[in-house]
Amino acid sequence: MTRFVGRTAVVTGAGGGIGTAIARRLASEGAHVVVCDAVASTAASTVQEIVGDGGSAEAAVFDVASGAEVAAFAVRVLEDRGLVDVLVNNAGINRRGALLDLTDDDWRATMSVNLDSMYHLCRAFLPAMVDAGRGAIVNTGSQWGLHPAPGHIAYNVSKAAVIAFSQSLARDYAPAGVRVNVVCPGEILTPMVEANLATKGIPVSDLAAKVPYGRLGKPEEVAALVAFLASDEAPYLTGSAVEITGAQAVS
């Protein structure tokens, strides 16, 4: 498919897992992808994969939780590309624990990376989208933002806020032709999840047994959903929180 030929996409948290899959999918459909990550080596690795597949990409390394760094990044990209057609806010962290197990730093870091980053990036790129009368923003939420998991209060609350933020943004800027949606993945088999299970000695099959569909999701499946939501095939889809959970959210 060539749904993004001639378009520019910015993807945060694109140095691994779901973010890498999203960046690769958009590039495979013709987008020039700005691969954003806090770690230079992982951003470079994703760019290398995209270019190796014949796509177009560049790396950008900055702190998504810093308004100043995001603003400086946005100025560079907009000067170079003119317009960011697709913004995918995917960067996120998960500080585990119930309320009394968390530190103040755990709470602040979770909100800064998972929520404040979206505020900074949307503030930076939305004006050009409004001026152009078009643009697509896809934010990464979580099924836990809709159905909280025990022992993850900071993450749950941050992702619930991401959903509210996305729907508020969608309502405010629909008249300007800008669409905003949020994807809410369930259990996805990313390298980080796989490593965490291995550290705990938990087989992947044990986690998969909790999913009615019988397996964990794949990063590429989330990427396919993001690409659809960002494409011209979904012109009336905005303000939606789309779950991709293998029916786990309703089990």
Side-chain angles (χ1 to χ4, degrees):
M1 291 184 284
T2 55
R3 294 181 292 189
F4 300 102
V5 169
R7 300 187 181 182
T8 299
V10 167
V11 183
T12 68
I18 293 173
T20 291
I22 293 170
R24 294 188 68 175
R25 178 60 184 253
L26 296 176
S28 75
E29 295 195 35
H32 173 79
V33 181
V34 184
V35 175
C36 308
D37 204 81
V39 180
S41 60
T42 56
S45 177
T46 299
V47 169
Q48 186 175 17
E49 291 176 21
I50 290 172
V51 173
D53 290 338
S56 175
E58 62 183 279
V61 180
F62 61 96
D63 180 3
V64 293
S66 167
E69 291 190 31
V70 169
F73 159 70
V75 167
R76 294 195 302 271
V77 173
L78 292 171
E79 286 180 348
D80 184 44
R81 306 297 302 181
L83 173 69
V84 167
D85 304 275
V86 177
L87 171 61
V88 182
N89 288 304
N90 173 72
I93 62 172
N94 187 356
R95 297 284 178 90
R96 295 173 174 84
L99 183 63
L100 300 182
D101 301 319
L102 292 176
T103 66
D104 288 351
D105 178 67
D106 289 330
W107 182 267
R108 284 193 297 267
T110 301
M111 298 303 162
S112 293
V113 176
N114 293 2
L115 181 61
D116 292 352
S117 64
M118 296 189 183
Y119 168 82
H120 296 314
L121 281 145
C122 290
R123 289 265 294 184
F125 288 110
L126 191 57
M129 291 181 175
V130 170
D131 287 346
R134 62 183 175 88
I137 299 172
V138 184
N139 297 324
T140 299
S142 169
Q143 71 167 348
W144 291 357
L146 295 166
H147 316 281
H152 291 77
I153 188 169
Y155 185 82
N156 296 343
V157 171
S158 72
K159 291 302 185 177
V162 164
I163 294 167
F165 174 83
S166 302
Q167 293 180 328
S168 296
L169 204 64
R171 178 62 187 86
D172 287 342
Y173 292 97
V178 179
R179 297 186 301 106
V180 187
N181 292 289
V182 55
V183 294
C184 299
E187 301 291 356
I188 308 297
L189 189 58
T190 64
M192 184 179 296
V193 168
E194 195 166 11
N196 186 47
L197 291 173
T199 298
K200 295 179 178 179
I202 301 174
V204 172
S205 58
D206 283 7
L207 188 56
K210 299 178 181 179
V211 182
Y213 200 63
R215 65 168 175 83
L216 303 188
K218 302 174 184 178
E220 293 76 15
E221 292 168 328
V222 180
L225 174 59
V226 170
F228 169 70
L229 292 172
S231 76
D232 290 341
E233 290 189 272
Y236 199 58
L237 239 174
T238 188
S240 296
V242 185
E243 296 180 65
I244 177 167
T245 69
Q248 186 178 14
V250 295
S251 64

